[in-house]
Amino acid sequence: MRWEDVRGQTCSIARALAVVGDRWTLLLLREAFGSARRFEQLQRRVGASRAVVAGRLARLVREGVLERRPYQERPTRHEYHLTEKGRALQPVLLSLMAWGDVWLDDGRGRPLDLVHRDCGAVATPQLCCDACDEPLTPDSIRLRPGPALRSLDGPPEPEGYLDGPPDPEG
Amino acid sequence: MRWEDVRGQTCSIARALAVVGDRWTLLLLREAFGSARRFEQLQRRVGASRAVVAGRLARLVREGVLERRPYQERPTRHEYHLTEKGRALQPVLLSLMAWGDVWLDDGRGRPLDLVHRDCGAVATPQLCCDACDEPLTPDSIRLRPGPALRSLDGPPEPEGYLDGPPDPEG
């Protein structure tokens, strides 16, 4: 199966991965959430080749995750800014960071402190239920067909992860 | 720069991406959070080639995200189970799903409902501060050097995203 086909799946994870499921893309977004706006900055901080960075940026612009804004004429040069759609990816990046902080810290502690300005705490991000504010865990959730799958005629697809979370006893 | 070098960066996002920053890998984990345990199930549901699936699974086992458990002898066959480290990736997958639900829904609504068993609600996952329970937003956080970066002799690296979130005014 090619990614073009995966993208057509009625699955938000597959669709999201078709847009951002790539290491260099996610590193570019990491920088876009910081202060990097210009091609050379982005390329230097991410460390990929010009061709890789140009390709990934073009796709993110095409997908509406970044927008190009001119900052100079003759020759015209552009900065790359996160759109609202792009800023909505923050939980993906922070979840990756939080996982790396705990599981890949090399024994030296986390590289960065995440400071929550509103309360002043050094925060550990937690994924919570918006209804009751409690943390979501693998055992406390289940997935069932939603509006898009229920509207399909055939059997729901993909099948696998509708079956519920893994049994904690294995 | 090669990924082997990126992985050595004092950055939890880069390190996490070195392990799971790949589309097929994340699709395999999607299935592992469901009911798929065996190679053929995983391969069929993900839709990648045997070689791709075998390579990704081997890496996930090597990284301690999945563990192999024998379920049959002569010939020995194994199932793949999420470890604690693997289960800790749930926020990454749910964040990708939540983003796709909102931004890539094709106008037909989300494919799956996420039911929070504890409260019974169809939940939208929100990334929250573990100290005050409020949602984390791009404007409400900042990153500063943490224990691992403070322990380095040289200037902190990578530089970019220490500079704070983007200015909402652009």
Side-chain angles (χ1 to χ4, degrees):
Chain A
M1 194 183 298
R2 289 173 51 81
W3 260 99
E4 287 63 42
D5 305 317
V6 170
R7 179 167 197 169
Q9 288 182 4
T10 307
C11 168
S12 291
I13 295 177
R15 290 174 183 171
L17 292 175
V19 180
V20 299
D22 164 86
R23 291 164 174 175
W24 297 118
T25 299
L26 286 161
L27 277 193
L28 284 167
L29 289 170
R30 176 190 77 179
E31 297 304 330
F33 272 99
S35 60
R37 297 287 173 275
R38 300 185 181 181
F39 188 92
E40 285 70 24
Q41 285 177 317
L42 289 161
Q43 193 208 344
R44 182 165 44 84
R45 293 181 181 178
V46 162
S49 71
R50 285 186 73 84
V52 164
V53 171
R56 301 304 196 277
L57 289 175
R59 186 169 61 191
L60 289 170
V61 169
R62 201 163 60 236
E63 297 285 354
V65 171
L66 295 177
E67 64 180 357
R68 276 157 47 103
R69 296 186 198 163
Y71 69 90
Q72 178 191 295
E73 292 182 8
R74 291 179 218 172
T76 307
R77 297 197 182 280
H78 293 88
E79 291 184 330
Y80 294 87
H81 291 259
L82 288 166
T83 62
E84 189 189 348
K85 182 176 180 178
R87 285 162 61 87
L89 283 164
Q90 189 201 32
V92 174
L93 288 164
L94 290 184
S95 296
L96 284 166
M97 187 176 90
W99 185 72
D101 282 347
V102 172
W103 293 99
L104 307 169
D105 82 337
D106 230 357
R108 295 196 302 135
R110 63 184 173 277
L112 296 176
D113 286 340
L114 170 64
V115 179
H116 186 212
R117 294 173 192 270
D118 294 358
C119 76
V122 175
T124 299
Q126 267 190 328
L127 206 64
C128 294
C129 170
D130 66 325
C132 73
D133 291 342
E134 292 297 314
L136 298 173
T137 65
D139 298 327
S140 74
I141 65 163
R142 70 186 175 88
L143 299 171
R144 67 178 188 203
L149 275 178
R150 288 198 304 266
S151 74
L152 292 177
D153 285 338
E157 48 111 20
E159 44 179 329
Y161 56 116
L162 293 175
D163 305 352
D167 177 355
E169 301 313 311
Chain B
M1 194 183 299
R2 289 172 52 81
W3 260 100
E4 286 63 42
D5 305 318
V6 170
R7 179 164 196 170
Q9 287 182 5
T10 307
C11 168
S12 291
I13 295 176
R15 291 175 183 171
L17 292 174
V19 179
V20 299
D22 165 86
R23 291 164 175 175
W24 297 118
T25 299
L26 286 162
L27 277 193
L28 284 167
L29 289 170
R30 176 190 77 180
E31 297 304 329
F33 272 100
S35 61
R37 297 287 173 274
R38 300 183 182 182
F39 188 92
E40 285 70 23
Q41 284 177 318
L42 290 162
Q43 193 208 342
R44 181 166 44 84
R45 293 181 182 177
V46 163
S49 70
R50 285 187 72 85
V52 163
V53 172
R56 301 303 196 278
L57 289 175
R59 186 170 61 191
L60 289 170
V61 169
R62 201 164 58 237
E63 296 285 356
V65 171
L66 295 177
E67 64 179 357
R68 276 157 46 104
R69 296 187 198 162
Y71 69 90
Q72 178 191 297
E73 292 182 8
R74 292 179 217 173
T76 306
R77 297 199 182 281
H78 293 89
E79 292 185 330
Y80 295 87
H81 291 258
L82 288 166
T83 62
E84 189 190 348
K85 183 176 179 177
R87 285 161 61 87
L89 282 163
Q90 189 201 31
V92 174
L93 287 164
L94 290 183
S95 297
L96 284 165
M97 186 176 90
W99 185 72
D101 282 348
V102 172
W103 293 98
L104 306 169
D105 83 336
D106 230 356
R108 296 195 303 135
R110 61 184 175 279
L112 297 175
D113 285 340
L114 171 64
V115 179
H116 186 212
R117 294 174 192 270
D118 294 358
C119 74
V122 175
T124 299
Q126 266 191 329
L127 207 65
C128 294
C129 170
D130 65 325
C132 72
D133 291 341
E134 292 297 316
L136 298 173
T137 65
D139 298 326
S140 73
I141 65 163
R142 69 187 175 88
L143 299 170
R144 68 178 187 202
L149 275 178
R150 288 199 303 266
S151 74
L152 293 177
D153 285 340
E157 48 111 16
E159 45 180 327
Y161 56 116
L162 293 175
D163 306 353
D167 177 355
E169 301 312 312

